Amino acid sequence: MTTVLIADDQPLQRLGFRMLLESNRDTEVVGEAGHGGEAVRQAAELRPDVILMDVRMPGMDGIEATRRIVASGGRCRVLILTTFDLDEYAHAALRAGASGFLLKDAHPEELLAGIRAVAAGDAVIAPALTRRLLDTYARHLPQVASGSSGSSGSSGRKAADDPRVRSLTEREYEILVAIGQGWSNREMAERLFVAESTVKTHVGRVLAKVGVRDRIQAVILAYDLGIARPNAGSGHDQPGPMY
């Protein structure tokens, strides 16, 4: 049973999520919050497995609420629910420690699958949002925005000098780059000619070695080190969900 806290300022939206989750035998709604401050308080009191977090809420928004919840060191994982016109918030939510993004108009089975994935420690991004989110995040990185002709070389040196990257095997480095480009496990298996179970093993080792909690944070690391860039790597316009 996965326990869920719903944080959204729209009562009808919360009701819809509650009805869906309560009709599913594997999920239990333990609380509702109408703004970020309430979400932070209830997260501490109820300790849910997953928090469905809206972005735009009165008072404290979902980004700041996510930052405070993750910083508390609890086991709660945050699944951001967003719409296409909120792309500009993607990088902030990534930095805040969100474990995933889904559109509010996602199919019920997609939302339930996303909740299960996040609760299991994986990360999830809606297929239609993956590239847009990665590109939005990249545009806010200094090395991307600087326009310096030497930025690519300095990024390469930055990655080579990072002890977390040096700890990786050649195959694990390939996996980190693929994660940064938004490849799903299936895409990695097909492109690298290995079994999907092998990919999952490699992903787990990469996350442990570089010291990140999930694939979302691995994406941040890959972009920060300059080993992943917008519209590079897989060549897919719409990579698959990251779980």
Side-chain angles (χ1 to χ4, degrees):
M1 181 71 67
T2 300
T3 56
V4 181
L5 170 65
I6 302 170
D8 196 295
D9 65 327
Q10 299 295 323
L12 285 178
Q13 188 79 69
R14 296 198 305 271
L15 176 61
F17 287 138
R18 176 179 280 276
M19 292 177 63
L20 170 64
L21 296 176
E22 290 185 342
S23 68
N24 178 58
R25 66 178 63 184
D26 298 328
T27 53
E28 176 188 3
V29 177
V30 294
E32 296 182 17
H35 55 81
E38 189 177 0
V40 173
R41 179 181 61 80
Q42 291 201 38
E45 292 178 356
L46 302 173
R47 300 176 64 82
D49 298 313
V50 177
I51 303 172
L52 297 183
M53 183 76 75
D54 189 20
V55 174
R56 287 179 173 169
M57 292 186 288
M60 185 188 299
D61 64 20
I63 303 299
E64 179 60 26
T66 297
R67 182 177 295 109
R68 295 191 184 191
I69 290 169
V70 173
S72 71
R75 64 184 182 89
C76 303
R77 291 183 176 270
V78 178
L79 180 57
I80 295 288
L81 299 173
T82 185
T83 56
F84 278 115
D85 65 333
L86 294 177
D87 279 358
E88 67 269 23
Y89 295 121
H91 76 290
L94 287 171
R95 285 293 188 191
S99 293
F101 298 84
L102 285 177
L103 299 179
K104 284 190 175 181
D105 62 357
H107 294 295
E109 60 271 20
E110 293 175 335
L111 177 59
L112 293 173
I115 290 173
R116 287 193 296 268
V118 169
D122 293 327
V124 57
I125 299 181
L129 274 179
T130 304
R131 176 54 57 197
R132 292 176 62 127
L133 289 173
L134 295 180
D135 289 355
T136 298
Y137 175 70
R139 286 197 297 271
H140 290 80
L141 293 177
Q143 64 263 35
V144 174
S146 65
S148 170
S149 61
S151 61
S152 176
S154 62
S155 295
R157 289 190 297 272
K158 184 177 181 181
D161 292 339
D162 192 286
R164 293 167 295 183
V165 174
R166 291 202 305 268
S167 72
L168 302 176
T169 66
E170 183 176 351
R171 174 63 79 186
E172 288 166 351
Y173 180 82
E174 290 178 327
I175 294 293
L176 177 59
V177 173
I179 292 173
Q181 294 304 145
W183 293 16
S184 67
N185 286 347
R186 180 175 299 177
E187 288 174 316
M188 291 187 214
E190 292 174 352
R191 293 274 179 152
L192 301 176
F193 304 103
V194 296
E196 192 168 343
S197 59
T198 301
V199 169
K200 291 181 180 179
T201 299
H202 283 314
V203 169
R205 289 175 178 169
V206 169
L207 298 185
K209 283 189 175 183
V210 300
V212 297
R213 57 184 280 171
D214 55 39
R215 294 173 71 134
I216 295 290
Q217 301 306 309
V219 169
I220 292 178
L221 177 64
Y223 271 60
D224 281 345
L225 296 177
I227 60 179
R229 306 182 309 280
N231 302 316
S234 69
H236 295 265
D237 290 332
Q238 299 293 348
M242 296 181 65
Y243 56 73

